[in-house]
Amino acid sequence: MADRQQTDPAPQWWSRPEGTADARGEGVPAPRPEGSADGGAEGAEEQHREPAAREVKYDPWGAQPLQVVDRGRPGRGFRLWQVAALSLGTALLAGGVGGYLGVLAERESSTRLELPQAAVAADKGRAPESVAGIAATALPGVVTLHVRGEKSSGTGTGFVLDPQGHILTNNHVVADAKEIAVTFSTGESVTAELVGRDSGYDLAVVKVSGVRGLQPLSLGNSENVKVGDPVVAIGAPFDLSNTVTAGIISATGRPVTAGGDKGDGSDISYVDALQTDAPINPGNSGGPLLDSKAHVVGINSAIRGADKGDDGAEGVRQGGSIGLGFAIPINQGKRVAEELIATGRATHPVIGVTLDMQYTGDGARVGDKGEDGKPAVVADGPGARGGIKAGDVITKVDGVRVHGGDELIIKIRAHRPGDPLTLTVLREGRERTLEVVLGSANGS
């Protein structure tokens, strides 16, 4: 009984049969009938004796069972909310498992989901006058220049001038170059050598050798450009080669000066520029500005950044395009390129006078003295022969008003040496008109 658990409730009592043995196997006497001698005497004696504490002994036939199994409280059944919660949990679990198995089955299935899409069209090209048509025509003749100097390196753009490998770009792209690498639109890269450059016009020519299949760009005529004409710019802004942007001609004849980092004025360029809103950024310098016939009408050269204090501007000047780009007219670029290829240097048209650059009035004033104390008007020079005197204020060039010395230089440099000019000057409060034939000076 000690090693086996009783599975049924133990009886609350047992009747003990007469003559059965106790726990020690000793016989238990049967009860004696009342009135017997022994029983009666002992019974009477016990009635007169003090009750004594009886020894408690284990009695397997006692009222208490040996072991009682605790079966807990009887079940009360499921309540309604428990059934509902169980059903909801089962439904959510089944839905989640089913969804996952469905997605897994779809991924592993050989059937693909395909959305409607237009078919691949036959390559019919684009209209030649469209931006895409202009880009397709011009891109093979546009190159990216990677320049390395002693202390710095940079990226610029250029375009092929002739089958001999001459490439036109900006002077400020190659000014300090020790190594020049040219990359074509096909990805082919070759080294190039500097042929000549001019800081006053901000133009330079480099040359590649041993390259077959060169595709020179066609040069247009910047005299034909009108405000509002559509134009396309191609270059490598921030070294992103073969970038194409589009816009219009915003203005012509914009007097623009650039450079001046050296402080002595030797690197300042003067440009009678074409203004465009086609996005131009650092790296576009030297790239072509093209008209609707894919003819080059300008060489992208400068941008106007946002000054400190302008809306949205931070710092002295931002480097990105704000829609004010400037290009050197191709007529000026063509003449300078021809001279650089022929002699390595370009000539500048001059009138032979020294200007007072500190003058703050309207117009360009001829100084009282020149450099090193020399006369402000060169003796027997173009200006002297035309009648210009020290202190004269030049207010117009060919009838177009100028507002300062920079603008006068720009208007003069837009011409060739030997061209005649009509100058309007203010002398002693009176205006007079003078005829001047431009002279020539070597550029830098």
Side-chain angles (χ1 to χ4, degrees), residues 6-335:
Q6 186 172 338
T7 58
D8 294 324
Q12 297 299 314
W13 57 270
W14 288 84
S15 61
R16 185 179 301 157
E18 297 182 3
T20 59
D22 62 7
R24 293 185 299 272
E26 299 177 357
V28 177
R32 298 180 181 178
E34 295 183 5
S36 64
D38 294 338
E42 290 177 4
E45 182 178 359
E46 288 177 359
Q47 290 177 1
H48 297 284
R49 188 187 305 164
E50 290 290 328
R54 296 184 180 179
E55 182 181 0
V56 179
K57 297 182 181 180
Y58 169 67
D59 183 0
W61 303 105
Q64 298 298 326
L66 178 63
Q67 297 185 41
V68 177
V69 177
D70 184 5
R71 295 182 177 272
R73 286 195 278 181
R76 297 165 60 182
F78 287 106
R79 295 185 180 180
L80 181 59
W81 69 269
Q82 291 175 320
V83 174
L86 181 60
S87 301
L88 179 60
T90 303
L92 292 175
L93 179 62
V97 172
Y100 172 76
L101 293 177
V103 171
L104 187 63
E106 181 179 352
R107 289 180 178 178
E108 294 181 353
S109 174
S110 59
T111 303
R112 294 188 308 168
L113 175 64
E114 292 190 8
L115 299 174
Q117 184 181 24
V120 177
D123 187 7
K124 298 181 179 179
R126 295 291 186 270
E129 67 276 6
S130 68
V131 174
I134 296 169
T137 301
L139 273 171
V142 180
V143 301
T144 301
L145 283 76
H146 293 99
V147 179
R148 184 181 301 276
E150 292 182 354
K151 298 181 180 180
S152 62
S153 60
T155 302
T157 307
F159 57 93
V160 179
L161 291 172
D162 55 31
Q164 288 72 42
H166 292 106
I167 294 170
L168 184 61
T169 186
N170 281 143
N171 171 70
H172 71 261
V173 171
V174 298
D176 300 319
K178 298 299 180 183
E179 297 178 9
I180 303 173
V182 172
T183 303
F184 293 86
S185 61
T186 59
E188 180 184 5
S189 293
V190 296
T191 58
E193 62 178 359
L194 180 64
V195 174
R197 63 187 184 88
D198 186 275
S199 61
Y201 289 113
D202 193 22
L203 291 171
V205 173
V206 301
K207 184 180 180 181
V208 296
S209 301
V211 180
R212 297 182 179 180
L214 293 174
Q215 299 188 36
L217 297 189
S218 299
L219 304 184
N221 192 317
S222 50
E223 293 295 329
N224 298 332
V225 174
K226 301 298 181 182
V227 174
D229 283 349
V231 287
V232 172
I234 302 180
F238 298 102
D239 204 14
L240 298 173
S241 301
N242 307 320
T243 296
V244 177
T245 56
I248 63 170
I249 294 293
S250 304
T252 61
R254 285 290 195 211
V256 174
T257 59
D261 296 333
K262 293 183 178 180
D264 58 0
S266 61
D267 61 335
I268 296 178
S269 58
Y270 299 88
V271 181
D272 198 30
L274 301 174
Q275 180 183 330
T276 179
D277 67 348
I280 297 173
N281 290 283
N284 275 103
S285 295
L289 188 67
L290 305 150
D291 64 12
S292 59
K293 297 181 179 180
H295 295 163
V296 181
V297 294
I299 303 102
N300 300 319
S301 180
I303 61 173
R304 175 66 163 81
D307 289 338
K308 184 177 181 180
D310 290 347
D311 291 342
E314 293 291 340
V316 176
R317 181 155 300 187
Q318 290 186 349
S321 172
I322 59 172
L324 295 174
F326 302 96
I328 301 168
I330 192 59
N331 289 15
Q332 182 174 323
K334 176 177 178 294
R335 178 184 72 81

